[in-house]
Amino acid sequence: MRRASHSSFILSPVARAVSRLAMLATLGLAAAGAGHAQAPAGAESAVPASPLTLKSTPMLAEGVSKAPEDEGPTFVFGDRISGRPDLETVIEGNAELRRGATSMRADRIEYYQPDDQLKSTGHVRINNAGNRFEGPELQLKLDRFEGFFTTPRYSFLQNGGNGQAERVDFIDDKHLTAHRATYTTCERNNEESWKPAWELTATRVDFDLDQEVGVATGAVVRFKDVPILAFPKVSFPLSDKRKSGLLPPTLGLGSLNGLEIRQPYYFDIAPNRDATFSPAVMSKRGVDLAGEFRYLEPTYKGQLSANVLPGDKLRGRDRWSYSLQHVGAIDTGVSAIGGVGLNLNLNKVSDNDYWRDFPVATGQVTQRLLTQDASLSWSKGYFSSSVRALKWQTLQDVSSPIIPPYDRLPQLTAAYTRFDAPLLGLGNGFDWSAEADFTRFSADPALTKQPNGSRAFSRLQVSRPWLAPWGYITPKVQLHASSYQFDSPLANGATSASRVVPTFSLDGGLQFERDASYFGRSFTQTLEPRAFYVRTPYRDQSFLPNYDSGVNSFNFATVFTENAFVGNDRISDANLLTLGVTSRLLDPATGAEAVRLGIAQRLRFDDQRVSLPALGTTPVPGALPVTDRVSDLLVGASVNWVPQWTFDSTVQYNPKIRQSELASIGVRYNPGNYRTVSAAFRRQRNISEQIDVGWQWPINDLWGDKGQDLGAGRGQGGGRYYSVGRLNYSTLEKKLVDAVVGIEYDGCCWIGRVVLQRSQNSTATASTRILFQLEMVGFSRIGSSPLETLKTNVPRYQYLRDKISPPSRFTTYD
């Protein structure tokens, strides 16, 4: 038989390819570019009779069809090719075979057609859809991808996992078994002495590439050659895909609970539902049983969490908590009904000390005020309404009691709103609305010092904006009406009351622009003066209880509003003019704001006589009439001259005493990923002064070794240290209020974290805990996760393994 050297072919599926290959080799016609070979008369042509139809695509296909009609051609290359038609083909010297998503290289490839048996020897490398195997010998039934590989090294595309084994048995192209195998996600280098930072060894590992999971039998996990975990049988992920099973145990050490060991189990119920059961042992308290259930549907989502701690050894009683959040719409199946929504925010704990003992568990912004809030809303067209039930659980502290807010059982609301609409034959362009609210308020009268009762409130509002490129003017009229019914008489003996208050406002502003240049940069500079006048006549409201009103903060968001109070129990009288001006520097190409400067001040023509009732002997903000004719001066500035630097400040300046009443100044430097430093100073005169500093920064930068941030990549390197934290210091009390300080180490295939957290529980007590975690990237995490703590406390904190796009099989295609 004659041989052809340096040959390459394009073949049809293997069942027909071998006979053609052998025929061409026998006739000496096999040469580079088989598409130009001509078969003799009577012989079957190696080139299809009709040309292939090309189909356009914006990208290379990640998936390859397994259907027989879609197998496509088989390509073979080699220095020498020989064989017998319909029996065997032998490729020697730089042998290569490619078909679909599979490519194979070896010193020698033999294919026996009757049994579909392929044997490769000598430096065998096979790449199947990006998953690679290398070793001395491979035997495989090519069509079924069934066979074995002796002493191979392997790596998987999805998560970079790799290892080696005495033998790998291929069941099919998605399932294989490795015997006496190792596994790690540490990326191998070319050094013979290379050892991974962490490694799993097992007598057997079953890889399911379809479900993206591995199951190891007789497994031991070593970190830096030290055994840290052992399992008779354990499953682990080959991607970030969810799966049921034991999650890594978490360890924690704190001043409240002592040593805490928690072992969670994860239930992957469905693609849109899951649950976690997390029992724990606390050395100072006992056994805690915790669970969480989550669900996600196209129109609604929710989460249920609960904890039970029977017989707390420190408190001598059972402890428990639950939390349910649900947001979404109800599908009525009738489009004519309109949209119906259901929102639930239910939270409750067993006792008043729960917030102090388990400060993280409640998840509330104010941990001593827990809401049980349920609302059903409906809207259709311009009309909307809702039914709400709100009940508070107030966790009292003897040293620092708080007055509980009022429950709303129930609250009924309705609103009809139109924009740019006709009104009473006056033409279009009007914005008008009608709102109504009925609420039943209830609380402990002994604590609130006010009678419980019901309030009906309504508001009519009409405005007519005139808008132009150079400015706008908007007159507005409002009418507020309230009616009360009380369970017990007021101080004046009345059991009912009512109030009607009209309000007129006029809002106007101008817009000036010009081209400007500062420090070599071109800008569009604006000048935006604004005037806002409000006239509300005085109505005596001092005899009314205060169920839900509070004084508005004095800032740029509220200075141009009609009412000095939030809520509906107080409508402030007003005869005032607010003047303000804003100037901005805008990038003319993108519109990005580089600088914003603003100033505003109120001019009061009459005293504001409506005020809030005092609580006890201490007046609260808004409890005294306002007599100043000129308000404090509000000044704000925001600078983002370059993307790396951001500066924000707001100052409320009192011209009488020439001091600031409130001040907030913050600056942030964020030059790139994993590099952010922020500092803020917040002051409220004679009440609080705090300095807040937060950061995340590579420590290696401090000694000039900036290196490469591994981040979401899989690059090699000597590792990177990161300092992370946030400190809140009270300059008046001269003490640290809250602190989070930690160190993170990114070692490419593993991350270590140690975080110290100190939280102020009250004026006299604080809790401290240490969080430490070892994350073997793409495999497991061991320890108590500080990630949520860092994400919540450190401004712009970035997780060192941010998600990236799934890798392509062409990344490792060879």
Side-chain angles (χ1 to χ4, degrees):
M1 176 176 290
R2 299 176 61 186
R3 296 186 177 182
S5 61
H6 303 290
S7 302
S8 65
F9 294 90
I10 304 177
L11 304 177
S12 60
V14 171
R16 300 175 61 186
V18 175
S19 61
R20 295 178 179 177
L21 177 62
M23 183 181 298
L24 290 172
T26 303
L27 295 174
L29 297 175
H36 299 288
Q38 298 292 326
E44 187 177 6
S45 173
V47 180
S50 59
L52 296 176
T53 302
L54 300 180
K55 297 181 180 179
S56 63
T57 176
M59 60 181 295
L60 295 171
E62 288 293 337
V64 177
S65 174
K66 297 299 180 182
E69 64 273 14
D70 295 330
E71 286 183 345
T74 299
F75 300 83
V76 295
F77 307 86
D79 294 340
R80 296 173 300 278
I81 301 176
S82 62
R84 293 178 293 174
D86 299 324
L87 287 178
E88 63 185 25
T89 299
V90 179
I91 311 170
E92 298 178 285
N94 297 312
E96 183 177 353
L97 182 148
R98 296 178 183 268
R99 185 174 69 177
T102 302
S103 67
M104 184 186 307
R105 296 175 183 266
D107 294 340
R108 178 184 176 92
I109 298 177
E110 302 176 15
Y111 182 74
Y112 187 62
Q113 182 177 343
D115 294 337
D116 186 37
Q117 185 70 37
L118 183 146
K119 180 178 180 181
S120 300
T121 56
H123 302 95
V124 181
R125 290 180 296 165
I126 185 169
N127 187 321
N128 182 40
N131 301 314
R132 296 180 294 178
F133 302 84
E134 301 179 26
E137 181 180 353
L138 167 69
Q139 294 192 29
L140 193 69
K141 291 186 179 296
L142 192 58
D143 284 341
R144 292 186 293 176
F145 211 86
E146 177 185 334
F148 67 89
F149 213 140
T150 59
T151 61
R153 294 192 310 189
Y154 48 84
S155 64
F156 300 112
L157 173 68
Q158 192 65 28
N159 67 339
N162 63 89
Q164 55 190 26
E166 287 187 1
R167 174 184 168 117
V168 168
D169 292 329
F170 295 102
I171 302 169
D172 54 42
D173 64 333
K174 294 293 185 181
H175 301 83
L176 57 128
T177 298
H179 302 275
R180 297 197 175 277
T182 66
Y183 178 81
T184 183
T185 58
C186 299
E187 190 162 309
R188 179 183 295 274
N189 60 31
N190 296 324
E191 299 177 6
E192 290 295 329
S193 60
W194 175 84
K195 286 187 177 181
W198 70 268
E199 187 177 56
L200 177 145
T201 60
T203 57
R204 171 187 173 127
V205 182
D206 296 302
F207 294 102
D208 187 337
L209 304 182
D210 188 30
Q211 298 297 321
E212 298 177 351
V213 65
V215 179
T217 303
V220 176
V221 178
R222 290 178 170 83
F223 179 72
K224 299 295 184 179
D225 278 341
V226 177
I228 57 174
L229 293 172
F231 307 95
K233 194 170 186 177
V234 63
S235 62
F236 55 91
L238 299 177
S239 68
D240 58 0
K241 186 176 180 180
R242 305 179 311 171
K243 70 181 189 66
S244 298
L246 288 171
L247 299 178
T250 63
L251 308 174
L253 183 63
S255 59
L256 292 175
N257 302 328
L259 178 63
E260 179 178 343
I261 303 175
R262 188 173 295 275
Q263 176 57 68
Y265 188 92
Y266 179 76
F267 298 89
D268 183 16
I269 302 172
N272 60 335
R273 290 183 178 86
D274 63 8
T276 306
F277 176 59
S278 305
V281 176
M282 303 177 183
S283 61
K284 290 185 177 182
R285 297 188 180 277
V287 177
D288 177 56
L289 305 176
E292 179 185 78
F293 172 67
R294 301 184 300 176
Y295 54 91
L296 176 63
E297 297 289 345
T299 59
Y300 63 88
K301 64 179 179 179
Q303 176 175 318
L304 171 65
S305 304
N307 285 70
V308 177
L309 176 60
D312 183 356
K313 292 186 291 186
L314 285 182
R315 297 291 182 182
R317 58 177 179 266
D318 296 341
R319 316 292 296 280
W320 54 264
S321 70
Y322 71 80
S323 176
L324 170 63
Q325 282 78 41
H326 173 95
V327 178
I330 298 175
D331 185 7
T332 61
V334 182
S335 59
I337 293 180
V340 179
L342 175 64
N343 291 344
L344 300 174
N345 183 15
L346 309 179
N347 305 273
K348 195 172 181 62
V349 298
S350 56
D351 54 82
N352 286 331
D353 294 316
Y354 202 93
W355 70 277
R356 193 193 313 275
D357 294 343
F358 308 101
V360 181
T362 59
Q364 300 294 295
V365 176
T366 304
Q367 296 186 16
R368 294 176 60 188
L369 292 175
L370 306 183
T371 59
Q372 292 180 291
D373 190 359
S375 64
L376 186 67
S377 60
W378 172 78
S379 64
K380 183 174 176 57
Y382 305 115
F383 187 81
S384 62
S385 63
S386 67
V387 179
R388 182 186 188 191
L390 170 63
K391 188 174 179 61
W392 296 90
Q393 182 184 12
T394 306
L395 307 185
Q396 294 290 1
D397 186 351
V398 176
S399 62
S400 179
I402 58 179
I403 297 177
Y406 280 86
D407 298 336
R408 304 184 183 207
L409 299 170
Q411 180 179 15
L412 310 176
T413 65
Y416 187 87
T417 305
R418 297 291 303 271
F419 294 98
D420 194 16
L423 178 66
L424 301 177
L426 299 177
N428 293 327
F430 288 90
D431 298 340
W432 56 275
S433 64
E435 304 172 41
D437 180 303
F438 174 82
T439 305
R440 166 68 184 175
F441 293 98
S442 60
D444 186 353
L447 296 176
T448 60
K449 309 299 183 183
Q450 297 181 139
N452 296 334
S454 301
R455 183 191 68 199
F457 173 81
S458 62
R459 175 168 51 213
L460 301 177
Q461 177 176 292
V462 179
S463 65
R464 177 50 168 100
W466 280 277
L467 308 176
W470 47 264
Y472 67 93
I473 185 169
T474 305
K476 180 192 295 184
V477 177
Q478 295 178 321
L479 184 65
H480 313 84
S482 300
S483 176
Y484 294 83
Q485 294 290 330
F486 306 113
D487 292 357
S488 58
L490 300 177
N492 60 5
T495 58
S496 64
S498 61
R499 174 200 62 189
V500 178
V501 184
T503 295
F504 169 77
S505 66
L506 183 64
D507 190 7
L510 299 175
Q511 176 84 27
F512 300 98
E513 292 184 358
R514 72 179 184 116
D515 295 331
S517 178
Y518 297 99
F519 304 102
R521 292 180 61 183
S522 297
F523 295 100
T524 297
Q525 183 176 10
T526 70
L527 184 65
E528 305 164 46
R530 183 179 181 184
F532 183 75
Y533 175 76
V534 180
R535 181 69 175 104
T536 303
Y538 171 73
R539 297 290 187 270
D540 185 11
Q541 302 164 54
S542 60
F543 60 93
L544 296 177
N546 179 22
Y547 293 135
D548 65 356
S549 285
V551 64
N552 256 328
S553 299
F554 189 64
N555 53 47
F556 283 101
T558 61
V559 71
F560 294 99
T561 55
E562 291 86 359
N563 193 3
F565 304 103
V566 294
N568 296 320
D569 284 314
R570 293 293 185 274
I571 306 297
S572 63
D573 56 313
N575 184 13
L576 59 85
L577 176 65
T578 303
L579 298 176
V581 62
T582 300
S583 181
R584 296 182 293 162
L585 294 182
L586 306 176
D587 188 312
T590 65
E593 188 176 86
V595 177
R596 174 195 287 261
L597 302 174
I599 186 170
Q601 191 170 37
R602 280 176 173 168
L603 307 177
R604 195 177 304 277
F605 306 115
D606 295 316
D607 295 347
Q608 178 190 309
R609 299 163 61 187
V610 176
S611 60
L612 296 175
L615 299 177
T617 59
T618 303
V620 298
L624 298 176
V626 181
T627 59
D628 294 336
R629 289 295 178 261
V630 179
S631 74
D632 294 344
L633 190 65
L634 196 61
V635 181
S638 175
V639 181
N640 192 17
W641 194 264
V642 293
Q644 296 88 349
W645 285 94
T646 301
F647 171 83
D648 287 289
S649 68
T650 301
V651 176
Q652 180 183 337
Y653 179 76
N654 189 328
K656 287 185 176 181
I657 61 175
R658 297 183 180 180
Q659 291 187 27
S660 64
E661 295 287 345
L662 290 169
S664 176
I665 302 173
V667 62
R668 182 177 67 245
Y669 178 55
N670 186 199
N673 290 332
Y674 318 109
R675 290 168 172 82
T676 180
V677 178
S678 62
F681 173 74
R682 302 179 181 92
R683 176 180 182 269
Q684 187 173 4
R685 187 171 66 90
N686 297 331
I687 297 178
S688 68
E689 279 188 16
Q690 292 187 346
I691 298 174
D692 200 329
V693 179
W695 71 92
Q696 180 185 24
W697 201 271
I699 300 178
N700 301 57
D701 287 6
L702 301 179
W703 52 77
D705 177 24
K706 294 192 176 182
Q708 177 185 2
D709 291 304
L710 302 177
R714 299 183 179 129
Q716 300 178 35
R720 305 275 290 154
Y721 287 96
Y722 296 83
S723 175
V724 61
R726 182 174 183 177
L727 303 176
N728 187 271
Y729 181 79
S730 172
T731 57
L732 289 181
E733 300 172 298
K734 293 182 172 54
K735 71 175 184 178
L736 196 64
V737 180
D738 295 312
V740 174
V741 180
I743 294 290
E744 294 183 292
Y745 178 79
D746 190 342
C748 183
C749 63
W750 66 279
I751 299 175
R753 300 181 179 93
V754 179
V755 174
L756 173 66
Q757 181 180 16
R758 180 189 184 276
S759 301
Q760 193 78 25
N761 292 337
S762 65
T763 56
T765 63
S767 63
T768 304
R769 61 175 184 160
I770 299 176
L771 307 172
F772 49 89
Q773 182 184 66
L774 172 63
E775 177 179 351
M776 291 168 281
V777 176
F779 180 72
S780 185
R781 293 172 181 168
I782 301 173
S784 184
S785 176
L787 292 176
E788 188 62 31
T789 297
L790 296 176
K791 196 71 175 178
T792 302
N793 289 278
V794 180
R796 299 180 76 89
Y797 169 79
Q798 278 186 281
Y799 174 41
L800 296 182
R801 281 292 184 268
D802 283 333
K803 289 185 178 181
I804 58 173
S805 300
S808 167
R809 68 183 177 91
F810 298 100
T811 304
T812 58
Y813 195 75
D814 56 8

